[in-house]
Every structure is written in structure tokens, then in C-alpha cells.
Amino acid sequence: MTETLIEGHKPLAPPPGIPVLDIDPYDVDTLYTPHAYYEALRAAGPVAYIPRYQVLAVGRFDETKTTFSDHETFVSSRGIGLNDFKLEKPWRPPSIILEVDPPEHTRTRRVMSKALSPKVVRGLMDDFRNSAATILDGLLGREIEAVVDLAEAFPTAVFPRAVGMKDVHTRHLVDYGAIVFNAVGPDNVLRQRDMARAPEVAAWINAACARDRLTDDGLGALVYAAADAGDITEAEAGMLVRSFLSAGVDTTVTGIGNALWCFSQNPDQWEALKADPSLIRPAFEEVLRYTSPVHTFLRTADRDTEIGGHPVPEGTKVLCVLASANMDPEKWGDPEVFRVDRRPVGHMAFGAGIHGCVGQNIARGELEALLSVMIEKVDRIEPMGEAIWRPNNAIRALDKLPLKLIPS
Ligand code: OVV
């Protein structure tokens, strides 16, 4: 007899001994205000059972990190969402770097790692700084909607240029990220809405990844050069450019929006940053810890194993709640306090292990450019209304952030 799937994976009966957490992590209200859920998850135990989806979840720092880092047991090739790619067809051809295990992962990761190296990012920094300055000059002193006017405007100006895209469609670039991230969740309203618009957006994205749609001097060209060198195929190069566009836009838009929110809510921390520019990089790490742009990714147990001493059967989906790990008081002193001088080494916002964010250098570069220009030009960041979050099954991003940037 074949078992009925739940949300595209094998249902897990309540495992004896594992605490039950009767919460829907993907309920829109939970996604709006997730911190009580994170606290309940950590309080439940090292691992909890979520009956709503018949999965396990980890949200303490230690178990989140060990689960996320053990790529041999907790695989990515069966999908990093609720769907088990062994049992259900993915909504798009799987990513050949994210949704894959070694040895396949090793080859593609090497290509992306080279294309996103510190040296490559250093070569982009002048453009990042100049673009940040130009965009900011147009925003100073008036009421802005910072999500669109700055958090979206800056990465969508610099990143497509860094990749070498000849065609730029800002809305499709931002929306594609949101679609990819909603897709890892259950079949809820968020995923349904985005699956309805996915075909049009994905078709545009896929077309933009072709060699002849890219300049010969960008990150895209570096990936196609790996095809010319025989390290990957031409089709794989296109797929890796798709990964740039899946993971490189919405994430940095979110990181910047979240950073602006942190500073608008904590004016003393903006003062501290202006007083000591050497804190720009540590401050961004604290933004990441405090707001965790990617709040949850999943792994799939590829064999019978255990978490925190509890048996975990093959086929079990495990929610790894990165945002909760980043708020674990056992790991971080006063985790609810945003402090630019915290230096939260080892935070989980970029993940951990072999799948740790391959674009983290460029993300840091974008934020460093923006914040270094901002501390020169912006005296105060004043809220002009309520900040509103935008629920997403994997991303914690702002929908609206009305601000005024008071010039120095
Ligand atoms: C959403 C996301 C994160 C990381 C990588 C990718 C997507 C990808 O498509 O490779």
C-alpha cells in the first residue's frame, strides 16, 4: 500500500519521547510575529514534533547548527522545503547547487565560489559605493517608502550589473526571489498565490540566464567561462546563473530593509555606528542575527538517525529555524537587544556547513558600501509610520517601511 503524502513528504507519526508543538509555523499570523513560536520551539526541547505537517523542527542554536551542518544525514537533494523531491515533482528544475548533495554539489559550488570570491567582490565595490551615493542623494530629507526606494532600488541597480545582465526587469527580479522562498513552504495562501504567478516570472528569469543575454565581463561570464573550461556544461552554467537570480536579489533587498528597520528602531545604535565606522561590518552581522532574512530552511533525513538523543526515521523533514537559533538565549546574551558592537560570530543567518551562503561576500560588500555612504550622508533615520512585515514561508522581510533620512 502506498502511503498518502502530507505536503509532498512522508508523514511522520508522533515519535515517542519527542515533545509535541501544536503550532502552525506557516500560519500567516505566526509569520507576521514569529518570536513567541521561536521561544516555544526552543522551550519544547532539542527537537519538537509539529503535528500540523508531521515534521520535526529544531530551533535551539546547537541542534539547528548540527542538523544544518550534517549534510550526509540531513540531505538537500530531497528539497529544502516541505516537498520531498524523491516523492513529488519539484515546481521548477531543482537548483544544481542548493538542492543537491556531494559529489554533485562539490563541482558546482566550486564554480560559484570562484565567481563570488573576495577578489571579484573587491572589484565591484567602487560601483557599489557610487550607486549607493547616487541613490541616497535622491532620497535625503524627504519622506520615503524605504522598501521600494532604497532596499529594492540599490541591489536591483548594482547586482544585475555585477552579473552582467543585458535585460533588467526589476519587478520580476524581486518577485522571483519571493516566489522561490514561498515555494519551500506548505501549500498555503502564500505559496498558492506565488505558484500562480511563477510561470510568467520564471520564464523571464530563465531567458535572462542565457549566455547571449549576458555581457562578457560579469559574474555570469565567469560562470560561462567554467563551461568553456569544461568544468560544467553550458546548460549547467545557465542553471547557476539562475541561482544568482534566485538567491542574490530578494535576500539582499531583505537584508538592507531589515538593516534600515533595525537602525530606525534603535537610533542610539545609528549614533554608535556613525561614531565608529569600523563597526559597519559587525553591525551588518548583528542585523543578520537579529532579523535572519532566511528564517527557515528544511533538510530531509536520508537514513534513520537521531536528534538530541531522539530517534529520527528516514524520510523525515526537519525544519531548521535559523531565526530561532539566532535568538537562542543559551547562545546569545540578551538576544532581543540589537547591538552593533556585539560581533555575533557564528550566527546562522547564512546557514552553516557546505551549503553556507556562497554569496555572503557580495552581500556583505553591498551592505558595507551602503552603510559607509549612509554614515557620511545621513544624520538620523526617522520612522514616518508603522513598519509592516511581509509574510513569506522562508524569508522575513518588510513590506512597508516609511522613513525620513535626515541629512548630515
Ligand atoms: C532561494 C535560494 C537560496 C539559495 C540558492 C538558490 C535559491 C538556488 O536557486 O540555487
Side-chain angles (χ1 to χ4, degrees):
M1 200 188 84
T2 52
E3 221 167 1
T4 316
L5 302 185
I6 173 164
E7 298 293 352
H9 65 265
K10 199 158 75 174
L12 173 70
I18 297 190
V20 173
L21 189 63
D22 201 5
I23 286 179
D24 181 355
Y26 297 104
D27 176 81
V28 169
D29 289 334
T30 308
L31 293 168
Y32 269 119
T33 49
H35 289 90
Y37 149 57
Y38 299 157
E39 204 178 316
L41 174 60
R42 292 188 303 264
V47 56
Y49 177 70
I50 305 206
R52 176 76 174 76
Y53 301 109
Q54 303 205 28
V55 295
L56 298 181
V58 291
R60 294 183 181 178
F61 183 86
D62 288 346
E63 283 75 21
T64 306
K65 179 158 186 178
T66 50
T67 306
F68 226 59
S69 308
D70 183 359
H71 61 268
E72 291 186 353
T73 311
F74 298 103
V75 298
S76 291
S77 56
R78 293 169 74 166
I80 54 110
L82 284 164
N83 282 355
D84 183 346
F85 291 178
K86 236 183 181 169
L87 306 174
E88 184 147 292
K89 189 172 180 279
W91 74 279
R92 62 169 194 168
S95 163
I96 62 170
I97 181 163
L98 174 73
E99 292 152 329
V100 68
D101 304 317
E104 291 78 12
H105 171 264
T106 316
R107 193 170 49 95
T108 50
R109 171 84 188 196
R110 193 176 298 128
V111 171
M112 291 295 262
S113 191
K114 221 169 119 187
L116 293 161
S117 71
K119 184 163 169 237
V120 170
V121 175
R122 275 197 298 278
L124 296 168
M125 287 304 288
D126 280 344
D127 185 51
F128 289 0
R129 282 193 207 95
N130 292 336
S131 300
T134 305
I135 291 170
L136 273 171
D137 284 342
L139 301 177
L140 293 173
R142 56 187 187 82
E143 188 170 342
I144 62 168
E145 201 297 281
V147 172
V148 172
D149 296 343
L150 186 49
E152 290 184 359
F154 174 58
T156 58
V158 297
F159 189 68
R161 192 153 55 226
V163 172
M165 299 179 77
K166 290 180 184 169
D167 322 303
V168 178
H169 187 306
T170 300
R171 206 62 257 152
H172 281 175
L173 282 166
V174 174
D175 288 351
Y176 188 62
I179 291 167
V180 170
F181 285 105
N182 267 328
V184 304
D187 187 29
N188 60 5
V189 291
L190 299 171
R191 191 176 194 277
Q192 284 169 13
R193 196 201 51 210
D194 273 3
M195 287 300 102
R197 65 177 177 161
E200 188 198 343
V201 181
W204 185 88
I205 290 286
N206 292 339
C209 295
R211 191 196 283 259
D212 72 342
R213 303 320 306 147
L214 297 163
T215 62
D216 58 11
D217 59 353
L219 305 178
L222 291 176
V223 170
Y224 275 98
D228 294 334
D231 298 334
I232 53 173
T233 68
E234 184 88 2
E236 286 174 329
M239 287 294 286
L240 289 178
V241 173
R242 193 193 71 173
S243 287
F244 285 147
L245 307 185
S246 305
V249 182
D250 199 38
T251 49
T252 49
V253 168
T254 300
I256 291 168
N258 291 4
L260 295 169
W261 176 77
C262 287
F263 288 115
S264 70
Q265 300 289 308
N266 298 276
D268 60 319
Q269 296 303 295
W270 183 245
E271 288 299 321
L273 191 64
K274 283 191 300 167
D276 182 0
S278 76
L279 289 175
I280 287 177
R281 281 191 173 243
F284 180 45
E285 300 307 312
E286 174 69 346
V287 167
L288 292 174
R289 181 198 69 81
Y290 192 68
T291 66
S292 301
V294 176
H295 63 77
T296 307
F297 268 170
L298 290 82
R299 294 291 189 255
T300 314
D302 202 39
R303 56 176 174 81
D304 293 345
T305 181
E306 57 88 28
I307 298 175
H310 297 288
V312 172
E314 186 278 334
T316 300
K317 283 282 180 184
V318 185
L319 273 73
C320 300
V321 188
L322 306 173
S324 173
N326 280 342
M327 282 282 167
D328 185 350
E330 295 287 318
K331 169 73 181 174
W332 314 103
D334 296 325
E336 308 290 336
V337 179
F338 173 74
R339 252 185 34 215
V340 292
D341 65 350
R342 179 188 294 271
R343 300 177 191 274
V345 178
H347 70 72
M348 290 293 294
F350 285 129
I354 65 164
H355 289 284
C357 179
V358 75
Q360 56 186 279
N361 295 316
I362 199 166
R364 289 191 179 105
E366 285 183 33
L367 260 291
E368 179 181 296
L370 180 61
L371 291 177
S372 64
V373 172
M374 278 186 72
I375 60 167
E376 294 299 322
K377 293 181 182 280
V378 177
D379 183 45
R380 279 173 294 129
I381 302 173
E382 285 191 354
M384 298 298 288
E386 201 193 339
I388 298 169
W389 294 88
R390 178 189 300 165
N392 180 289
N393 290 326
I395 282 259
R396 179 150 168 86
L398 286 151
D399 191 51
K400 292 280 184 297
L401 183 62
L403 295 180
K404 193 182 272 189
L405 306 177
I406 313 292
S408 305

